[in-house]
Amino acid sequence: MEFFCYHRDRVGALALRHELSEAHWAYMDGYAKELIARGPTFGADADVPLGSVHIVDLPNAAAARAFAFDEPNYQAGVYRDVLLRRWRNLLGRTMWEFPGGRDEGSRDRYLVLGLGVGPGEASVDLAVPAGWDDRLIAYGPLSSDDGTVRVGTAALVRADGPEAAREVLTPGRYADIEVHAWEFGGRR
């Protein structure tokens, strides 16, 4: 089962995040074979991380909760909250298999989250959007733990800015769409 995990940083936790970076990486090294994608998100100041994305393939929801909540930064209080949802990998690959590579255009990558069903539609985006083939790093619907209720869509994309990234999702299908600058994570 695939899971999307988004840890959002607590205000003022940057020094602690830096202090724990090796512990975080060592923890993630233990999940190297299960990771589909990972990396930090950023706000307007592209040098200050605001969160961490991890998409992981684990046996069940209990294993996903252990992954999310045993993580060293979470345990030390770096994160203010965690979004953990089932996810379905519609691309069938990891970020390391993305044709654009890790470093090519590294400042034009975004996490796009469509959350909650909007007023005009009864569904979330369940298919890979046409015309995005060479720009999608990861893409898939978010669901409840048992996979029966669709709650949104998560995508990692290359785009010419946040507004262009937002276009990967269908307007009106979500209560809210968030766009965050993102980059490939992990050891180099």
Side-chain angles (χ1 to χ4, degrees), residues 120-121 125 166-174 177:
E121 296 290 334
D125 289 304
R166 181 182 302 274
E167 293 174 10
V168 73
L169 299 182
T170 304
R173 284 206 170 154
Y174 305 93
I177 296 177

Side-chain angles (χ1 to χ4, degrees), residues 36-39 93-98 102 137 182 184-185:
I36 295 167
R38 67 184 284 194
R93 67 174 186 235
T94 71
M95 73 177 201
W96 296 275
E97 298 165 307
F98 170 63
R102 178 185 188 111
I137 300 163
W182 171 83
F184 277 52

Side-chain angles (χ1 to χ4, degrees), residues 7-69:
H7 292 95
R8 296 175 195 259
D9 286 20
R10 181 177 49 81
V11 174
L14 183 60
L16 183 56
R17 177 190 258 268
H18 287 308
E19 180 183 321
L20 294 170
S21 62
E22 180 55 38
H24 168 77
W25 289 338
Y27 182 80
M28 291 302 154
D29 287 347
Y31 289 93
K33 291 179 180 170
E34 291 85 6
L35 284 165
I36 295 167
R38 67 184 284 194
T41 60
F42 300 89
D45 180 354
D47 294 327
V48 178
L50 297 180
S52 293
V53 172
H54 299 95
I55 302 175
V56 62
D57 189 356
L58 294 168
N60 53 48
R65 283 189 288 279
F67 168 83
F69 298 114

Side-chain angles (χ1 to χ4, degrees), residues 66-99:
F67 168 83
F69 298 114
D70 290 345
E71 193 275 338
N73 286 340
Y74 179 82
Q75 288 293 309
V78 170
Y79 303 129
R80 70 176 166 93
D81 61 54
V82 178
L83 172 65
L84 180 63
R85 291 287 180 216
R86 289 249 330 248
W87 185 77
R88 188 165 43 112
N89 187 354
L90 295 183
L91 301 179
R93 67 174 186 235
T94 71
M95 73 177 201
W96 296 275
E97 298 165 307
F98 170 63

